[in-house]
């Protein structure tokens, strides 16, 4: 019984010591913070596709992933990634979804959305992969604007090298391939 009383007394003393009168509390002014309104979920995956294709390793297919992430198709971000079988990042690019429209102008919001959807669905079609990744460089017509001669020779001499072509932005076409000696993806060609 004494133990119960002493515990109750101790609790009462603690409670009393923690209580303050209004005069003892400091005056705190709460400042209103400016808040920016977020008009939608910018992390929402609106569309996503994966495609397995040989690219960085002739024996093991890589995973090609594309996603539209954002609050709406027209305002989304387009994410393109190539991931190896060992979960290593082989290639990555992030653009506005509107870059899938290319040079199309003067369309309605609905037409823009429909065009983005169609181009998204066709981004990883079978006809965008090609072999050989690069033609053998000719001494008379060497183009080193996008890839140096050493890399061109490296990729063109590799009969297992696979090229991948895609359109992004205003009339831009890109061709990429994986350089096994450099252990990285290189842009082999780009046009505006």
């Amino acid at each position: 019984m004494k133990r119960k009383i002493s515990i109750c007394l101790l609790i009462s003393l603690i409670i009393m010591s923690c209580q303050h009168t209004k005069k003892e509390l400091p005056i705190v002014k709460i400042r209103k913070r400016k808040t920016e309104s977020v008009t939608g979920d910018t992390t929402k995956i609106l569309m996503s596709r994966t495609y397995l294709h040989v690219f960085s390793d002739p024996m093991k297919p890589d995973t090609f992933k594309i996603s539209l992430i954002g609050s709406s198709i027209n305002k989304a971000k387009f994410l393109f990634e190539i991931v190896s079988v060992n979960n290593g990042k082989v290639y990555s690019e992030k653009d506005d979804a509107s870059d899938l429209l290319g040079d199309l102008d003067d369309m309605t919001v609905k037409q823009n959305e429909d065009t983005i959807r169609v181009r998204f669905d066709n981004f990883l079609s079978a006809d965008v992969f090609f072999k050989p990744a690069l033609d053998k460089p000719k001494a008379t017509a060497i183009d080193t604007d996008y890839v140096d001669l050493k890399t061109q020779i490296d990729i063109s001499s590799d009969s297992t090298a696979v090229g991948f072509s895609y359109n992004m932005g205003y009339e831009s076409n890109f061709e990429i391939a994986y350089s096994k000696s450099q252990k990285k993806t290189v842009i082999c060609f780009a046009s505006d």
Side-chain angles (χ1 to χ4, degrees):
M1 182 85 165
K2 284 185 177 182
R3 197 167 197 187
K4 277 187 179 180
I5 293 174
S6 59
I7 291 176
C8 290
L9 182 61
L10 181 62
I11 292 173
S12 298
L13 288 173
I14 292 172
I15 291 173
M16 286 175 35
S17 67
C18 292
Q19 291 179 340
H20 298 282
T21 64
K22 287 185 180 180
K23 290 180 183 178
E24 293 175 329
L25 292 176
I27 297 172
V28 178
K29 290 185 180 179
I30 299 174
R31 286 187 246 163
K32 291 186 179 179
R33 292 184 183 176
K34 284 187 177 181
T35 57
E36 295 178 23
S37 61
V38 177
T39 58
D41 185 359
T42 57
T43 60
K44 182 178 178 186
I45 297 174
L46 304 171
M47 296 175 72
S48 181
R49 302 277 185 278
T50 58
Y51 187 77
L52 296 177
H53 200 284
V54 171
F55 187 71
S56 66
D57 184 329
M59 304 307 285
K60 301 171 189 166
D62 293 318
T63 302
F64 286 69
K65 296 179 184 181
I66 56 174
S67 303
L68 287 180
I69 302 168
S71 59
S72 70
I73 297 292
N74 286 315
K75 295 179 181 176
K77 290 290 183 188
F78 174 76
L79 181 61
F80 169 41
E81 295 178 305
I82 304 172
V83 180
S84 72
V85 72
N86 302 328
N87 283 332
K89 192 173 284 189
V90 176
Y91 189 73
S92 179
E93 184 172 336
K94 188 174 186 178
D95 297 293
D96 291 330
S98 61
D99 285 341
L100 289 171
L101 294 172
D103 62 350
L104 298 175
D105 295 327
D106 300 328
M107 294 191 304
T108 66
V109 172
K110 175 75 170 117
Q111 289 170 327
N112 280 349
E113 185 176 307
D114 291 343
T115 303
I116 289 170
R117 286 178 189 273
V118 168
R119 293 203 171 161
F120 181 89
D121 286 337
N122 293 319
F123 193 84
L124 296 175
S125 62
D127 63 340
V128 296
F129 294 91
F130 52 92
K131 228 174 158 179
L134 280 176
D135 292 330
K136 299 264 184 221
K138 297 173 182 67
T140 56
I142 294 173
D143 182 7
T144 56
D145 287 346
Y146 301 101
V147 63
D148 62 67
L149 182 58
K150 181 181 175 186
T151 304
Q152 284 185 41
I153 292 169
D154 172 44
I155 292 173
S156 63
S157 65
D158 181 1
S159 63
T160 64
V162 174
F164 177 77
S165 176
Y166 65 97
N167 295 318
M168 188 60 59
Y170 188 78
E171 294 183 356
S172 294
N173 181 36
F174 297 93
E175 291 180 9
I176 60 173
Y178 190 80
S179 169
K180 291 175 184 73
S181 66
Q182 296 180 32
K183 298 186 185 323
K184 69 177 186 175
T185 300
V186 294
I187 295 176
C188 299
F189 176 77
S191 68
D192 296 332

